[in-house]
Amino acid sequence: METSSPETLAKAYEFSEVEKKWYAVWQADKTFSAKMDPERDSFSIVIPPPNVTGVLHVGHALNNTLQDVLIRYKRMMGCNTLWVPGTDHAGIATQNVVERQLATENKSRHDLGRDNFIERVWQWREEKGGTIINQLKHLGCSCDWERERFTMDEGLSKAVRTVFVRLFKEGLIYKGDYIVNWCPRCHTALSDDEVEHEDKKGKLYHIRYPFADGSGHVVVATTRPETMLGDTGVAVHPDDERYAHLKEIGISLPLTDRTIPVVFDHHVKREFGTGALKVTPAHDRDDYEIGLRHKLEIMKIMDNSGVMNEAAGPYAGLDRFACRTKIVADLEAQGFLDKIEDYDHAVGNCYRCHTVVEPTTSLQWFVSVRPLADKAVAAVRDGRINIHPKTWDNTFYAWMDNIRDWCISRQIWWGHQIPAWTCDDCNHLMVEEVAPTSCQKCQSKNLSQESDVLDTWFSSALWPFSTLGWPEQTEELKFFYPTSVLITSFDILFFWVARMMMMGLHFLDEVPFKDVYLHALVRDKDGKKMSKSTGNVIDPLVVMAEYGTDALRYTMTAFAAQGRDIRLSEERIEGYRHFINKIWNAARFSLMHIDACDPAVTKDVQPATMALAHRWILSRLNKTITEVHASLAGFRFNDTASALYQFIWHEFCDWYLEWIKSDLYGEDAGKKAEAQTVLFTVLEAIVKLLHPIAPFVTEEIWHFLPGHRPTLMTESFPLANPAWDDQEAEESAELIKGVIGGIRNIRSEMQIHPSAEIEAFAICPDPLKQQRLQTHAPSIMGLTRTASLDVQASGTVPQGTANYIFEDIEIFVPLKGLIDVEKEIAKLNKNKEKLEKQAAQTKGKLSNEKFLSNAPDDIIAKENGKLDEFTLQLTKIDETIVRLQELA
RNA sequence: GGGCGGUUAGCUCAGCUGGGAGAGCAUCGGCCUUACAAGCCGAGGGUCACAGGUUCGAUCCCUGUACCGCCCACCA
């Protein structure tokens, strides 16, 4: 198919068509499909399933790029790789979307009824649920799409039921009337971590509660005065002498005809306010617990929508906030209001709709998490699971220590309906995987299933094994579980990651993943969270369209430094687009010269006999390969990206390609063949090394390489070859690059036109260096447009030259015209100042006895070398200054 | 109230286990040198937040301070 000749490489990389073309080919050829070859290692990742309602945002882009980098790398390393894709049914979010859709038709879900509504959600999912999956494909993700799962699909639902029933029978799931976080808008309970606390400016109301015998009053403070209607007690500290006498008297609750008791509880802080606390067990978590301890009545005063109920007496029917206003007015009017203060405090909001959450008692299902959490903690402690970066360990432990039972029931329709049935006749509760047909106790056929559904996180907690077929003992499960690594954002460490650990350890007796890599949150360039309302969102889809997918992926990888938020800026993305284009052009140039190159020959590169440029680039390539492996193993993605960037642009392009041009364009067939061979070898290695980060441009280039096979995706990833390490070549190359830098500097400073030919001289006292320079003089001349280069061990500097000092080598270029003596002297003086400073510093160290006796020998030798060099350079500078002054 | 992270060039950030401060962008000067002007060559720019301590030696380790950010928490 690739009959194209190298000449057909366009002048600039056109990503759009290339991306479409190769993704389609990869999919058609099933190169993403997992294979279970027992001879090879497995490497598996389960995707953090995006919400089915989701649209790809920059966080997804980061998360999935990193996963794809690892998957592609491991695939090329010969592993059986599996990346399981899928989406989450996202209970509340999805229900909201469909309800909004219904609202446009002036309908509510109640108009449809439960079954029809759920039908409607599935229909929505059918039509719109594939959006984010297609966007992941656009991003180049090499997921095994044949194994795409959905948390509500049949297999996963079965896993959910199995887990629920087993936990129930083990006594780890229970149903009870407890205080929960209630969203009055979503009409559902929320788990603790679905509540977001936000600091708000509020008021602290101080209310006088009269003693029942009329002998006085106590002042209590509250931020929610309407809850006083549900007060069933006042609590004070047991050791608080101020209130000891109230034990027998009681409190007459304002605006009501009730008398409530005073209880004594250690929870009360004596120093806060007056040391008296109003207790509303039905609408406050602490109060609830105080109430339990003292057997106080639980009096609910609001309904599920946050509207006051009959228990609120005359206030019934008022919204909770309207009621607050009225209560305050009434208290004021009747003289019960002591004072109102401004008060900043945290208010809990529903994480979905941001409605203020109302703590309230309600009949809910809970998981006893303590025994499960202990297993997860143990796995992290003993290293069966490694969290990266490690700094999260402590946060993880702290959270797990304080974990409370997990409220798993939600009063919505979209989700896994709880597999529990109650007998309408005898009230017997049955929890079963398969719906029972009659009551196990009284044989009645009148059974009602629990109407609540499970928290979405309940099903995603099973994701690493439910997607592999559990509870069936599938081949996949045996082969790919535990998965290799989980890559996700730290903000769902507790929502999701911890719960996967608990469930995996409990049900499979094995960790769900060996490594957890937590990446940062992507923020805007000012460090603000991206949000649609502030308009600071960088849309990855727009970025891909404008800069190309590879540029986006490279940016994400380069930014993925551990332990820090990412501030994304468009300028950086643009920079990486330039890099992708640079690669393209380097390949374009290379392919103009290596089309005749026989790949069979190039497999066995023997650098030992080759010219310096080749030995040098191969040695540098080797170091780069080593760093790529090491950094990926340590999840240092940014280091991988920068090592490749540095090598490709600043070593391969800037130096190597320029260096070998003379051979490629020259007459010497031997030299030319050698250059072609190495150029091919390095270019091939580069496209392979880059492929995990930038899959599209590399695949495209690959297909222009001689002898290429069908896809780069399954080529073997480069390994370091110790035979290519060449210290001598690296030293020589550094020397030559330094001298070239010197000559170029003179050219630039003296404003010699780049095309003008010059002559150059060098005085180099070190015999080894001198020999190297003489050997490689042609290279230096070629790269600096110098007609001649004369290297001497010593000698006098002719008049009328500009000079430059590199290490112990003095380089000078005779100038035809006059040089600007003043300018030259100024430049030298500046240089001299710097050197003197450095020399003084080094001298100081070397005259310090303690340094000499304590520092390791190699450091001392290094300092001595430095001092020699500084001294020599200073001498030369002084000589030059004198010479210039004579000239003036 | 606890816990965590940050403070390095004008901007955005690297800097792994302590041994002469780096990148990208931006800036200045010179180049359309037949891979690339999305480029090439050269240059300038930093008391590594502050104060102590450990060490022969600290951007790096320890203590404290100041700002900035995040997370957790039942002071009504």
Side-chain angles (χ1 to χ4, degrees):
Chain A
M1 184 175 155
E2 280 70 40
T3 51
S4 332
S5 63
E7 283 77 21
T8 61
L9 259 76
K11 200 169 172 184
Y13 172 55
E14 301 293 341
F15 53 82
S16 178
E17 280 170 39
V18 168
E19 290 174 9
K20 257 180 244 148
K21 175 175 72 180
W22 289 119
Y23 203 85
V25 170
W26 292 332
Q27 275 209 284
D29 294 352
K30 295 189 187 293
T31 36
F32 302 156
S33 300
K35 288 161 198 76
M36 289 180 277
D37 171 3
E39 301 296 303
R40 295 184 291 142
D41 290 340
S42 79
F43 183 86
S44 54
I45 296 181
V46 289
I47 200 170
N51 285 356
V52 67
T53 55
V55 178
L56 194 78
H57 58 63
V58 74
H60 293 124
L62 170 67
N63 177 246
N64 290 289
T65 296
L66 299 183
Q67 293 178 72
D68 200 38
V69 167
L70 282 188
I71 284 282
R72 285 180 184 270
Y73 167 63
K74 290 290 183 177
R75 187 183 290 121
M76 292 176 77
M77 285 297 285
C79 293
N80 289 296
T81 51
L82 168 61
W83 185 9
V84 182
T87 47
D88 189 290
H89 70 278
I92 297 176
T94 310
Q95 177 159 325
N96 282 348
V97 167
V98 177
E99 284 192 281
R100 271 202 296 276
Q101 202 184 49
L102 284 176
T104 63
E105 303 162 22
N106 285 320
K107 283 190 219 157
S108 78
R109 67 183 152 116
H110 300 286
D111 296 329
L112 270 70
R114 185 164 186 148
D115 289 350
N116 287 333
F117 178 77
I118 286 172
E119 185 58 35
R120 181 79 183 242
V121 179
W122 279 105
Q123 195 187 323
W124 177 89
R125 190 240 172 195
E126 203 60 40
E127 289 164 11
K128 303 275 176 63
T131 304
I132 195 153
I133 293 296
N134 289 326
Q135 291 167 336
L136 288 173
K137 290 175 180 173
H138 193 166
L139 188 63
C141 296
S142 60
C143 304
D144 186 348
W145 296 111
E146 289 166 345
R147 295 170 191 270
E148 183 186 335
R149 304 306 296 266
F150 181 51
T151 49
M152 284 281 282
D153 70 25
E154 204 178 323
L156 271 64
S157 298
K158 183 170 184 218
V160 166
R161 283 196 304 276
T162 306
V163 164
F164 187 93
V165 172
R166 283 200 205 167
L167 286 176
F168 181 80
K169 297 197 167 159
E170 290 167 27
L172 292 174
I173 281 184
Y174 62 92
K175 189 180 186 183
D177 204 0
Y178 288 94
I179 191 147
V180 294
N181 309 294
W182 184 266
C183 176
R185 200 214 66 88
C186 300
H187 286 164
T188 182
L190 299 169
S191 68
D192 287 342
D193 38 29
E194 284 169 330
V195 176
E196 287 174 353
H197 290 273
E198 201 180 305
D199 278 332
K200 283 209 179 122
K201 291 202 188 304
K203 305 279 186 202
L204 189 62
Y205 302 88
H206 297 257
I207 308 170
R208 293 195 193 99
Y209 277 20
F211 302 149
D213 66 359
S215 65
H217 68 262
V218 60
V219 173
V220 296
T222 180
T223 53
R224 298 185 300 150
E226 69 280 9
T227 61
M228 66 158 295
L229 297 172
D231 283 3
T232 55
V234 168
V236 296
H237 196 275
D239 303 334
D240 197 333
E241 287 163 12
R242 290 174 291 179
Y243 303 115
H245 68 290
L246 289 178
K247 196 169 183 178
E248 307 301 332
I249 300 175
I251 298 286
S252 172
L253 189 64
L255 309 184
T256 71
D257 51 10
R258 292 191 289 124
T259 300
I260 56 175
V262 172
V263 297
F264 298 85
D265 196 286
H266 285 275
H267 167 81
V268 180
K269 301 268 185 294
R270 273 174 284 183
E271 55 293 348
F272 189 92
T274 58
L277 169 68
K278 65 189 272 304
V279 183
T280 323
H283 294 286
D284 185 281
R285 188 188 293 273
D286 298 332
D287 293 5
Y288 177 78
E289 275 159 21
I290 293 173
L292 278 190
R293 285 197 283 272
H294 302 280
K295 299 193 168 44
L296 295 178
E297 190 192 341
I298 296 171
M299 188 173 160
K300 268 183 86 159
I301 54 161
M302 279 175 226
D303 68 10
N304 288 344
S305 302
V307 173
M308 309 311 286
N309 63 19
E310 305 78 49
Y315 300 94
L318 283 176
D319 176 78
R320 53 186 169 151
F321 297 114
C323 180
R324 178 177 302 174
T325 313
K326 188 146 197 311
I327 290 272
V328 171
D330 291 351
L331 288 170
E332 169 95 76
Q334 299 179 35
F336 291 117
L337 197 58
D338 189 53
K339 59 176 170 177
I340 305 176
E341 290 176 321
D342 286 335
Y343 193 70
D344 296 344
H345 63 129
V347 176
N349 297 302
C350 172
Y351 82 123
R352 284 285 174 212
C353 70
H354 277 275
T355 302
V356 175
V357 164
E358 193 67 39
T360 189
T361 54
S362 160
L363 195 58
Q364 302 287 347
W365 292 81
F366 292 85
V367 175
S368 304
V369 284
R370 187 76 266 157
L372 303 175
D374 288 344
K375 290 185 189 178
V377 168
V380 175
R381 281 204 196 279
D382 66 23
R384 276 173 292 151
I385 296 175
N386 287 293
I387 303 178
H388 311 268
K390 222 172 171 38
T391 47
W392 282 101
D393 281 9
N394 284 335
T395 314
F396 175 78
Y397 295 138
W399 190 78
M400 296 302 263
D401 282 346
N402 298 323
I403 197 165
R404 265 198 292 237
D405 283 359
W406 174 17
C407 174
I408 49 170
S409 43
R410 295 291 182 277
Q411 290 67 47
I412 56 174
W413 288 350
W414 176 240
H416 300 278
Q417 200 170 346
I418 290 179
W421 289 262
T422 311
C423 173
D424 296 339
D425 295 319
C426 76
N427 239 8
H428 180 60
L429 180 69
M430 288 159 283
V431 173
E432 298 296 336
E433 288 182 42
V434 180
T437 51
S438 62
C439 175
Q440 291 155 350
K441 211 169 164 189
C442 75
Q443 274 73 48
S444 163
K445 301 272 183 203
N446 301 323
L447 307 177
S448 309
Q449 185 173 2
E450 199 70 22
S451 62
D452 289 0
V453 301
L454 290 167
D455 178 8
T456 301
W457 297 104
F458 192 90
S459 53
S460 39
L462 319 180
W463 188 249
F465 49 91
S466 64
T467 53
L468 295 175
W470 189 90
E472 311 308 325
Q473 288 304 309
T474 59
E475 285 299 305
E476 283 82 353
L477 204 56
K478 259 183 250 161
F479 201 84
F480 291 114
Y481 192 93
T483 65
S484 309
V485 56
L486 182 84
I487 300 186
T488 191
S489 165
F490 65 80
D491 55 343
I492 52 174
L493 177 60
F494 307 129
F495 272 109
W496 188 46
V497 181
R499 285 170 184 160
M500 284 191 286
M501 292 183 193
M502 295 182 203
M503 294 299 193
L505 285 159
H506 190 74
F507 285 97
L508 285 91
D509 211 23
E510 218 170 347
V511 296
F513 26 73
K514 296 161 198 156
D515 290 293
V516 178
Y517 175 73
L518 298 171
H519 61 247
L521 237 47
V522 183
R523 298 170 183 281
D524 76 357
K525 60 177 166 25
D526 302 317
K528 292 201 190 97
K529 220 170 180 173
M530 289 188 187
S531 75
K532 277 182 192 155
S533 51
T534 35
N536 59 347
V537 176
I538 293 184
D539 182 347
L541 299 167
V542 172
V543 169
M544 284 192 274
E546 200 168 328
Y547 300 100
T549 300
D550 286 337
L552 174 66
R553 289 173 60 116
Y554 216 97
T555 309
M556 291 297 151
T557 311
F559 264 113
Q562 293 188 5
R564 200 184 226 208
D565 283 347
I566 296 171
R567 295 190 187 195
L568 189 60
S569 70
E570 205 151 333
E571 290 78 40
R572 282 291 286 266
I573 304 172
E574 194 177 358
Y576 288 112
R577 175 185 61 170
H578 295 173
F579 177 56
I580 299 295
N581 192 54
K582 184 76 178 175
I583 296 160
W584 177 256
N585 274 295
R588 184 162 163 261
F589 169 78
S590 304
L591 288 161
M592 289 174 179
H593 296 97
I594 61 176
D595 57 309
C597 176
D598 179 357
V601 177
T602 64
K603 288 298 140 194
D604 191 29
V605 173
Q606 301 287 347
T609 59
M610 289 183 169
L612 175 61
H614 309 309
R615 285 186 286 127
W616 171 73
I617 198 70
L618 290 169
S619 186
R620 295 306 306 155
L621 172 64
N622 231 19
K623 294 241 163 61
T624 307
I625 291 171
T626 305
E627 171 59 12
V628 166
H629 286 285
S631 56
L632 286 177
F635 304 102
R636 290 180 287 115
F637 295 96
N638 58 319
D639 288 341
T640 310
S642 85
L644 287 169
Y645 187 101
Q646 220 52 33
F647 173 72
I648 292 167
W649 200 318
H650 298 305
E651 298 191 307
F652 180 69
C653 292
D654 287 354
W655 285 101
Y656 182 70
L657 292 182
E658 296 304 323
W659 201 340
I660 64 170
K661 273 179 182 172
S662 54
D663 287 345
L664 292 172
Y665 289 116
E667 299 299 318
D668 188 322
K671 281 184 179 173
K672 189 169 178 173
E674 190 172 284
Q676 286 174 325
T677 301
V678 177
L679 176 56
F680 175 79
T681 304
V682 178
L683 180 66
E684 190 188 40
I686 283 173
V687 296
K688 288 178 174 178
L689 288 166
L690 274 175
H691 184 260
I693 304 178
F696 293 109
V697 71
T698 51
E699 181 78 281
E700 178 71 3
I701 294 169
W702 169 255
H703 285 264
F704 287 100
L705 291 185
H708 67 269
R709 285 162 294 275
T711 175
L712 179 55
M713 268 185 67
T714 49
E715 288 296 311
S716 59
F717 201 78
L719 297 172
N721 178 353
W724 290 0
D725 282 331
D726 192 333
Q727 188 58 30
E728 190 275 329
E730 297 210 19
E731 279 171 19
S732 291
E734 283 316 305
L735 175 68
I736 282 149
K737 284 161 69 181
V739 171
I740 289 170
I743 297 173
R744 284 175 176 171
N745 179 279
I746 292 170
R747 263 187 179 286
S748 186
E749 293 289 323
M750 293 298 123
Q751 310 204 335
I752 301 167
H753 196 273
S755 59
E757 285 219 322
I758 53 171
E759 295 185 323
F761 300 84
I763 296 174
C764 174
D766 182 317
L768 177 62
K769 288 182 185 176
Q770 191 195 346
Q771 184 248 315
R772 283 173 174 170
L773 286 179
Q774 276 161 346
T775 308
H776 301 297
S779 293
I780 298 170
M781 287 156 60
L783 290 167
T784 52
R785 283 214 174 210
T786 302
S788 67
L789 174 65
D790 187 17
V791 186
Q792 300 290 337
S794 63
T796 46
V797 181
Q799 296 288 359
T801 63
N803 90 338
Y804 186 93
I805 293 159
F806 171 71
E807 294 179 353
D808 54 348
I809 301 160
E810 197 172 5
I811 304 152
F812 45 97
V813 172
L815 294 173
K816 295 209 174 74
L818 285 175
I819 60 166
D820 187 336
V821 176
E822 294 300 320
K823 201 173 148 192
E824 274 292 271
I825 291 177
K827 194 178 94 181
L828 288 164
N829 273 324
K830 197 173 178 191
N831 200 0
K832 184 179 167 182
E833 242 175 75
K834 206 191 230 168
L835 279 167
E836 277 173 339
K837 229 171 162 181
Q838 288 176 303
Q841 211 179 5
T842 310
K843 231 182 258 177
K845 272 192 192 175
L846 287 168
S847 58
N848 185 338
E849 292 244 344
K850 286 181 178 168
F851 173 74
L852 293 174
S853 53
N854 287 318
D857 290 346
D858 59 317
I859 297 293
I860 295 174
K862 211 170 149 189
E863 291 294 320
N864 271 314
K866 271 158 62 179
L867 185 59
D868 288 349
E869 194 185 309
F870 295 149
T871 313
L872 189 86
Q873 291 192 8
L874 282 167
T875 315
K876 298 212 164 177
I877 286 175
D878 283 336
E879 284 171 16
T880 311
I881 291 173
V882 169
R883 205 179 67 237
L884 283 165
Q885 279 164 343
E886 282 169 4
L887 203 72

